[in-house]
PDB file of all heavy atoms in Angstrom:
ATOM      1  N   GLY B  30     -14.783  20.840 -23.107  1.00  0.00           N
ATOM      2  CA  GLY B  30     -14.408  19.530 -23.602  1.00  0.00           C
ATOM      3  C   GLY B  30     -14.952  18.390 -22.769  1.00  0.00           C
ATOM      4  O   GLY B  30     -16.054  18.456 -22.224  1.00  0.00           O
ATOM      5  N   TYR B  31     -14.125  17.358 -22.622  1.00  0.00           N
ATOM      6  CA  TYR B  31     -14.567  16.131 -21.969  1.00  0.00           C
ATOM      7  C   TYR B  31     -13.607  15.773 -20.835  1.00  0.00           C
ATOM      8  O   TYR B  31     -12.682  14.973 -21.026  1.00  0.00           O
ATOM      9  CB  TYR B  31     -14.631  14.996 -23.001  1.00  0.00           C
ATOM     10  CG  TYR B  31     -15.662  15.253 -24.065  1.00  0.00           C
ATOM     11  CD1 TYR B  31     -15.352  15.986 -25.210  1.00  0.00           C
ATOM     12  CD2 TYR B  31     -16.961  14.769 -23.915  1.00  0.00           C
ATOM     13  CE1 TYR B  31     -16.319  16.219 -26.188  1.00  0.00           C
ATOM     14  CE2 TYR B  31     -17.927  15.007 -24.882  1.00  0.00           C
ATOM     15  CZ  TYR B  31     -17.591  15.736 -26.007  1.00  0.00           C
ATOM     16  OH  TYR B  31     -18.545  15.977 -26.970  1.00  0.00           O
ATOM     17  N   PRO B  32     -13.848  16.344 -19.661  1.00  0.00           N
ATOM     18  CA  PRO B  32     -12.961  16.025 -18.541  1.00  0.00           C
ATOM     19  C   PRO B  32     -13.206  14.621 -18.018  1.00  0.00           C
ATOM     20  O   PRO B  32     -14.224  14.005 -18.335  1.00  0.00           O
ATOM     21  CB  PRO B  32     -13.367  17.058 -17.485  1.00  0.00           C
ATOM     22  CG  PRO B  32     -14.811  17.329 -17.779  1.00  0.00           C
ATOM     23  CD  PRO B  32     -14.931  17.259 -19.275  1.00  0.00           C
ATOM     24  N   SER B  33     -12.296  14.113 -17.225  1.00  0.00           N
ATOM     25  CA  SER B  33     -12.522  12.919 -16.432  1.00  0.00           C
ATOM     26  C   SER B  33     -13.114  13.340 -15.097  1.00  0.00           C
ATOM     27  O   SER B  33     -12.810  14.421 -14.584  1.00  0.00           O
ATOM     28  CB  SER B  33     -11.208  12.178 -16.210  1.00  0.00           C
ATOM     29  OG  SER B  33     -10.705  11.687 -17.426  1.00  0.00           O
ATOM     30  N   LEU B  34     -13.957  12.465 -14.531  1.00  0.00           N
ATOM     31  CA  LEU B  34     -14.678  12.800 -13.308  1.00  0.00           C
ATOM     32  C   LEU B  34     -14.378  11.773 -12.221  1.00  0.00           C
ATOM     33  O   LEU B  34     -14.200  10.581 -12.518  1.00  0.00           O
ATOM     34  CB  LEU B  34     -16.181  12.855 -13.578  1.00  0.00           C
ATOM     35  CG  LEU B  34     -16.616  13.862 -14.640  1.00  0.00           C
ATOM     36  CD1 LEU B  34     -18.105  13.700 -14.945  1.00  0.00           C
ATOM     37  CD2 LEU B  34     -16.329  15.281 -14.194  1.00  0.00           C
ATOM     38  N   PHE B  35     -14.341  12.249 -10.974  1.00  0.00           N
ATOM     39  CA  PHE B  35     -13.916  11.413  -9.855  1.00  0.00           C
ATOM     40  C   PHE B  35     -14.782  11.683  -8.624  1.00  0.00           C
ATOM     41  O   PHE B  35     -15.292  12.788  -8.452  1.00  0.00           O
ATOM     42  CB  PHE B  35     -12.458  11.733  -9.471  1.00  0.00           C
ATOM     43  CG  PHE B  35     -11.487  11.663 -10.607  1.00  0.00           C
ATOM     44  CD1 PHE B  35     -11.314  12.728 -11.467  1.00  0.00           C
ATOM     45  CD2 PHE B  35     -10.740  10.512 -10.817  1.00  0.00           C
ATOM     46  CE1 PHE B  35     -10.423  12.668 -12.526  1.00  0.00           C
ATOM     47  CE2 PHE B  35      -9.844  10.438 -11.875  1.00  0.00           C
ATOM     48  CZ  PHE B  35      -9.684  11.518 -12.725  1.00  0.00           C
ATOM     49  N   TRP B  36     -14.897  10.663  -7.781  1.00  0.00           N
ATOM     50  CA  TRP B  36     -15.354  10.843  -6.419  1.00  0.00           C
ATOM     51  C   TRP B  36     -14.250  10.369  -5.483  1.00  0.00           C
ATOM     52  O   TRP B  36     -13.747   9.236  -5.628  1.00  0.00           O
ATOM     53  CB  TRP B  36     -16.635  10.061  -6.142  1.00  0.00           C
ATOM     54  CG  TRP B  36     -17.867  10.766  -6.593  1.00  0.00           C
ATOM     55  CD1 TRP B  36     -18.586  10.536  -7.731  1.00  0.00           C
ATOM     56  CD2 TRP B  36     -18.550  11.824  -5.912  1.00  0.00           C
ATOM     57  NE1 TRP B  36     -19.659  11.389  -7.809  1.00  0.00           N
ATOM     58  CE2 TRP B  36     -19.652  12.202  -6.698  1.00  0.00           C
ATOM     59  CE3 TRP B  36     -18.329  12.504  -4.702  1.00  0.00           C
ATOM     60  CZ2 TRP B  36     -20.546  13.205  -6.323  1.00  0.00           C
ATOM     61  CZ3 TRP B  36     -19.196  13.505  -4.329  1.00  0.00           C
ATOM     62  CH2 TRP B  36     -20.298  13.849  -5.130  1.00  0.00           C
ATOM     63  N   TYR B  37     -13.883  11.256  -4.541  1.00  0.00           N
ATOM     64  CA  TYR B  37     -12.952  10.908  -3.483  1.00  0.00           C
ATOM     65  C   TYR B  37     -13.747  10.886  -2.164  1.00  0.00           C
ATOM     66  O   TYR B  37     -14.710  11.632  -1.995  1.00  0.00           O
ATOM     67  CB  TYR B  37     -11.827  11.939  -3.367  1.00  0.00           C
ATOM     68  CG  TYR B  37     -10.687  11.735  -4.331  1.00  0.00           C
ATOM     69  CD1 TYR B  37     -10.794  12.113  -5.664  1.00  0.00           C
ATOM     70  CD2 TYR B  37      -9.489  11.170  -3.910  1.00  0.00           C
ATOM     71  CE1 TYR B  37      -9.735  11.925  -6.549  1.00  0.00           C
ATOM     72  CE2 TYR B  37      -8.430  10.977  -4.774  1.00  0.00           C
ATOM     73  CZ  TYR B  37      -8.559  11.356  -6.094  1.00  0.00           C
ATOM     74  OH  TYR B  37      -7.514  11.172  -6.961  1.00  0.00           O
ATOM     75  N   VAL B  38     -13.277  10.067  -1.210  1.00  0.00           N
ATOM     76  CA  VAL B  38     -13.928   9.980   0.089  1.00  0.00           C
ATOM     77  C   VAL B  38     -12.897  10.201   1.191  1.00  0.00           C
ATOM     78  O   VAL B  38     -11.739   9.763   1.070  1.00  0.00           O
ATOM     79  CB  VAL B  38     -14.648   8.617   0.272  1.00  0.00           C
ATOM     80  CG1 VAL B  38     -13.684   7.451   0.144  1.00  0.00           C
ATOM     81  CG2 VAL B  38     -15.372   8.556   1.613  1.00  0.00           C
ATOM     82  N   GLN B  39     -13.302  10.928   2.216  1.00  0.00           N
ATOM     83  CA  GLN B  39     -12.434  11.183   3.374  1.00  0.00           C
ATOM     84  C   GLN B  39     -13.140  10.683   4.631  1.00  0.00           C
ATOM     85  O   GLN B  39     -14.079  11.303   5.126  1.00  0.00           O
ATOM     86  CB  GLN B  39     -12.132  12.678   3.485  1.00  0.00           C
ATOM     87  CG  GLN B  39     -11.170  13.032   4.596  1.00  0.00           C
ATOM     88  CD  GLN B  39     -10.909  14.530   4.668  1.00  0.00           C
ATOM     89  OE1 GLN B  39     -11.773  15.341   4.349  1.00  0.00           O
ATOM     90  NE2 GLN B  39      -9.701  14.916   5.073  1.00  0.00           N
ATOM     91  N   TYR B  40     -12.678   9.554   5.160  1.00  0.00           N
ATOM     92  CA  TYR B  40     -13.227   9.029   6.405  1.00  0.00           C
ATOM     93  C   TYR B  40     -12.662   9.825   7.582  1.00  0.00           C
ATOM     94  O   TYR B  40     -11.575  10.422   7.470  1.00  0.00           O
ATOM     95  CB  TYR B  40     -12.905   7.551   6.537  1.00  0.00           C
ATOM     96  CG  TYR B  40     -13.554   6.707   5.461  1.00  0.00           C
ATOM     97  CD1 TYR B  40     -12.795   6.192   4.411  1.00  0.00           C
ATOM     98  CD2 TYR B  40     -14.917   6.449   5.472  1.00  0.00           C
ATOM     99  CE1 TYR B  40     -13.379   5.438   3.405  1.00  0.00           C
ATOM    100  CE2 TYR B  40     -15.514   5.700   4.473  1.00  0.00           C
ATOM    101  CZ  TYR B  40     -14.731   5.208   3.438  1.00  0.00           C
ATOM    102  OH  TYR B  40     -15.323   4.476   2.446  1.00  0.00           O
ATOM    103  N   PRO B  41     -13.359   9.841   8.698  1.00  0.00           N
ATOM    104  CA  PRO B  41     -12.911  10.651   9.848  1.00  0.00           C
ATOM    105  C   PRO B  41     -11.465  10.376  10.232  1.00  0.00           C
ATOM    106  O   PRO B  41     -11.062   9.225  10.404  1.00  0.00           O
ATOM    107  CB  PRO B  41     -13.883  10.223  10.960  1.00  0.00           C
ATOM    108  CG  PRO B  41     -15.116   9.801  10.232  1.00  0.00           C
ATOM    109  CD  PRO B  41     -14.641   9.163   8.960  1.00  0.00           C
ATOM    110  N   GLY B  42     -10.683  11.445  10.338  1.00  0.00           N
ATOM    111  CA  GLY B  42      -9.295  11.317  10.772  1.00  0.00           C
ATOM    112  C   GLY B  42      -8.340  10.808   9.710  1.00  0.00           C
ATOM    113  O   GLY B  42      -7.178  10.528  10.019  1.00  0.00           O
ATOM    114  N   GLU B  43      -8.806  10.694   8.471  1.00  0.00           N
ATOM    115  CA  GLU B  43      -7.953  10.159   7.410  1.00  0.00           C
ATOM    116  C   GLU B  43      -7.840  11.141   6.254  1.00  0.00           C
ATOM    117  O   GLU B  43      -8.567  12.117   6.166  1.00  0.00           O
ATOM    118  CB  GLU B  43      -8.521   8.840   6.897  1.00  0.00           C
ATOM    119  CG  GLU B  43      -8.614   7.756   7.948  1.00  0.00           C
ATOM    120  CD  GLU B  43      -9.112   6.442   7.390  1.00  0.00           C
ATOM    121  OE1 GLU B  43      -9.177   6.290   6.153  1.00  0.00           O
ATOM    122  OE2 GLU B  43      -9.439   5.556   8.193  1.00  0.00           O
ATOM    123  N   GLY B  44      -6.899  10.857   5.360  1.00  0.00           N
ATOM    124  CA  GLY B  44      -6.800  11.625   4.131  1.00  0.00           C
ATOM    125  C   GLY B  44      -7.822  11.154   3.112  1.00  0.00           C
ATOM    126  O   GLY B  44      -8.561  10.204   3.345  1.00  0.00           O
ATOM    127  N   LEU B  45      -7.859  11.840   1.980  1.00  0.00           N
ATOM    128  CA  LEU B  45      -8.787  11.448   0.931  1.00  0.00           C
ATOM    129  C   LEU B  45      -8.291  10.199   0.219  1.00  0.00           C
ATOM    130  O   LEU B  45      -7.087   9.963   0.099  1.00  0.00           O
ATOM    131  CB  LEU B  45      -8.917  12.561  -0.120  1.00  0.00           C
ATOM    132  CG  LEU B  45      -9.825  13.738   0.198  1.00  0.00           C
ATOM    133  CD1 LEU B  45      -9.220  14.618   1.261  1.00  0.00           C
ATOM    134  CD2 LEU B  45     -10.096  14.532  -1.070  1.00  0.00           C
ATOM    135  N   GLN B  46      -9.241   9.413  -0.292  1.00  0.00           N
ATOM    136  CA  GLN B  46      -8.885   8.276  -1.130  1.00  0.00           C
ATOM    137  C   GLN B  46      -9.864   8.199  -2.295  1.00  0.00           C
ATOM    138  O   GLN B  46     -11.038   8.552  -2.153  1.00  0.00           O
ATOM    139  CB  GLN B  46      -8.864   6.973  -0.342  1.00  0.00           C
ATOM    140  CG  GLN B  46     -10.140   6.639   0.391  1.00  0.00           C
ATOM    141  CD  GLN B  46      -9.987   5.412   1.271  1.00  0.00           C
ATOM    142  OE1 GLN B  46     -10.151   4.287   0.809  1.00  0.00           O
ATOM    143  NE2 GLN B  46      -9.674   5.626   2.529  1.00  0.00           N
ATOM    144  N   LEU B  47      -9.361   7.726  -3.420  1.00  0.00           N
ATOM    145  CA  LEU B  47     -10.190   7.635  -4.613  1.00  0.00           C
ATOM    146  C   LEU B  47     -11.275   6.585  -4.403  1.00  0.00           C
ATOM    147  O   LEU B  47     -10.992   5.448  -4.023  1.00  0.00           O
ATOM    148  CB  LEU B  47      -9.340   7.274  -5.820  1.00  0.00           C
ATOM    149  CG  LEU B  47     -10.070   7.143  -7.149  1.00  0.00           C
ATOM    150  CD1 LEU B  47     -10.678   8.479  -7.568  1.00  0.00           C
ATOM    151  CD2 LEU B  47      -9.122   6.632  -8.226  1.00  0.00           C
ATOM    152  N   LEU B  48     -12.527   6.950  -4.663  1.00  0.00           N
ATOM    153  CA  LEU B  48     -13.643   6.022  -4.522  1.00  0.00           C
ATOM    154  C   LEU B  48     -14.018   5.423  -5.877  1.00  0.00           C
ATOM    155  O   LEU B  48     -14.137   4.211  -6.007  1.00  0.00           O
ATOM    156  CB  LEU B  48     -14.850   6.744  -3.919  1.00  0.00           C
ATOM    157  CG  LEU B  48     -16.121   5.930  -3.715  1.00  0.00           C
ATOM    158  CD1 LEU B  48     -15.869   4.751  -2.768  1.00  0.00           C
ATOM    159  CD2 LEU B  48     -17.254   6.800  -3.191  1.00  0.00           C
ATOM    160  N   LEU B  49     -14.200   6.277  -6.890  1.00  0.00           N
ATOM    161  CA  LEU B  49     -14.520   5.790  -8.221  1.00  0.00           C
ATOM    162  C   LEU B  49     -14.246   6.881  -9.238  1.00  0.00           C
ATOM    163  O   LEU B  49     -14.069   8.047  -8.883  1.00  0.00           O
ATOM    164  CB  LEU B  49     -15.969   5.297  -8.304  1.00  0.00           C
ATOM    165  CG  LEU B  49     -17.088   6.239  -7.888  1.00  0.00           C
ATOM    166  CD1 LEU B  49     -17.477   7.203  -8.990  1.00  0.00           C
ATOM    167  CD2 LEU B  49     -18.320   5.452  -7.431  1.00  0.00           C
ATOM    168  N   LYS B  50     -14.241   6.496 -10.504  1.00  0.00           N
ATOM    169  CA  LYS B  50     -13.956   7.463 -11.554  1.00  0.00           C
ATOM    170  C   LYS B  50     -14.646   7.063 -12.850  1.00  0.00           C
ATOM    171  O   LYS B  50     -15.050   5.902 -13.025  1.00  0.00           O
ATOM    172  CB  LYS B  50     -12.451   7.579 -11.791  1.00  0.00           C
ATOM    173  CG  LYS B  50     -11.815   6.292 -12.305  1.00  0.00           C
ATOM    174  CD  LYS B  50     -10.312   6.451 -12.449  1.00  0.00           C
ATOM    175  CE  LYS B  50      -9.677   5.146 -12.935  1.00  0.00           C
ATOM    176  NZ  LYS B  50      -8.189   5.242 -12.989  1.00  0.00           N
ATOM    177  N   ALA B  51     -14.782   8.046 -13.769  1.00  0.00           N
ATOM    178  CA  ALA B  51     -15.312   7.803 -15.108  1.00  0.00           C
ATOM    179  C   ALA B  51     -14.584   8.736 -16.064  1.00  0.00           C
ATOM    180  O   ALA B  51     -14.397   9.922 -15.762  1.00  0.00           O
ATOM    181  CB  ALA B  51     -16.816   8.056 -15.156  1.00  0.00           C
ATOM    182  N   THR B  52     -14.142   8.206 -17.172  1.00  0.00           N
ATOM    183  CA  THR B  52     -13.282   8.988 -18.051  1.00  0.00           C
ATOM    184  C   THR B  52     -13.951   9.462 -19.321  1.00  0.00           C
ATOM    185  O   THR B  52     -13.387  10.280 -20.048  1.00  0.00           O
ATOM    186  CB  THR B  52     -12.016   8.196 -18.412  1.00  0.00           C
ATOM    187  OG1 THR B  52     -12.424   6.973 -19.016  1.00  0.00           O
ATOM    188  CG2 THR B  52     -11.189   7.903 -17.181  1.00  0.00           C
ATOM    189  N   LYS B  53     -15.169   8.972 -19.632  1.00  0.00           N
ATOM    190  CA  LYS B  53     -15.854   9.480 -20.814  1.00  0.00           C
ATOM    191  C   LYS B  53     -17.361   9.415 -20.602  1.00  0.00           C
ATOM    192  O   LYS B  53     -17.859   8.722 -19.714  1.00  0.00           O
ATOM    193  CB  LYS B  53     -15.456   8.701 -22.063  1.00  0.00           C
ATOM    194  CG  LYS B  53     -15.764   7.229 -22.045  1.00  0.00           C
ATOM    195  CD  LYS B  53     -15.240   6.584 -23.324  1.00  0.00           C
ATOM    196  CE  LYS B  53     -15.677   5.137 -23.437  1.00  0.00           C
ATOM    197  NZ  LYS B  53     -15.057   4.287 -22.408  1.00  0.00           N
ATOM    198  N   ALA B  54     -18.064  10.142 -21.439  1.00  0.00           N
ATOM    199  CA  ALA B  54     -19.516  10.271 -21.314  1.00  0.00           C
ATOM    200  C   ALA B  54     -20.191   8.902 -21.314  1.00  0.00           C
ATOM    201  O   ALA B  54     -19.794   8.001 -22.053  1.00  0.00           O
ATOM    202  CB  ALA B  54     -20.059  11.131 -22.448  1.00  0.00           C
ATOM    203  N   ASP B  55     -21.185   8.780 -20.420  1.00  0.00           N
ATOM    204  CA  ASP B  55     -22.003   7.570 -20.231  1.00  0.00           C
ATOM    205  C   ASP B  55     -21.273   6.451 -19.485  1.00  0.00           C
ATOM    206  O   ASP B  55     -21.878   5.414 -19.206  1.00  0.00           O
ATOM    207  CB  ASP B  55     -22.553   7.041 -21.559  1.00  0.00           C
ATOM    208  CG  ASP B  55     -23.435   8.056 -22.257  1.00  0.00           C
ATOM    209  OD1 ASP B  55     -24.151   8.784 -21.547  1.00  0.00           O
ATOM    210  OD2 ASP B  55     -23.383   8.138 -23.485  1.00  0.00           O
ATOM    211  N   ASP B  56     -20.010   6.655 -19.153  1.00  0.00           N
ATOM    212  CA  ASP B  56     -19.309   5.679 -18.315  1.00  0.00           C
ATOM    213  C   ASP B  56     -19.929   5.655 -16.934  1.00  0.00           C
ATOM    214  O   ASP B  56     -20.347   6.693 -16.411  1.00  0.00           O
ATOM    215  CB  ASP B  56     -17.831   6.070 -18.170  1.00  0.00           C
ATOM    216  CG  ASP B  56     -16.951   5.388 -19.192  1.00  0.00           C
ATOM    217  OD1 ASP B  56     -17.481   4.650 -20.034  1.00  0.00           O
ATOM    218  OD2 ASP B  56     -15.726   5.600 -19.118  1.00  0.00           O
ATOM    219  N   LYS B  57     -19.951   4.487 -16.319  1.00  0.00           N
ATOM    220  CA  LYS B  57     -20.388   4.366 -14.926  1.00  0.00           C
ATOM    221  C   LYS B  57     -19.216   3.879 -14.101  1.00  0.00           C
ATOM    222  O   LYS B  57     -18.648   2.827 -14.381  1.00  0.00           O
ATOM    223  CB  LYS B  57     -21.560   3.386 -14.801  1.00  0.00           C
ATOM    224  CG  LYS B  57     -22.015   3.184 -13.366  1.00  0.00           C
ATOM    225  CD  LYS B  57     -23.110   2.129 -13.260  1.00  0.00           C
ATOM    226  CE  LYS B  57     -24.435   2.670 -13.739  1.00  0.00           C
ATOM    227  NZ  LYS B  57     -25.543   1.709 -13.471  1.00  0.00           N
ATOM    228  N   GLY B  58     -18.858   4.655 -13.092  1.00  0.00           N
ATOM    229  CA  GLY B  58     -17.860   4.207 -12.137  1.00  0.00           C
ATOM    230  C   GLY B  58     -18.560   3.550 -10.962  1.00  0.00           C
ATOM    231  O   GLY B  58     -19.647   3.963 -10.567  1.00  0.00           O
TER     232      GLY B  58
END
Side-chain angles (χ1 to χ4, degrees):
Chain B
Y31 296 87
S33 294
L34 301 173
F35 307 83
W36 278 101
Y37 277 78
V38 59
Q39 184 180 31
Y40 296 105
E43 299 183 12
L45 280 71
Q46 56 186 274
L47 180 64
L48 179 60
L49 55 82
K50 64 183 179 184
T52 57
K53 60 183 187 293
D55 300 324
D56 266 2
K57 178 184 285 188

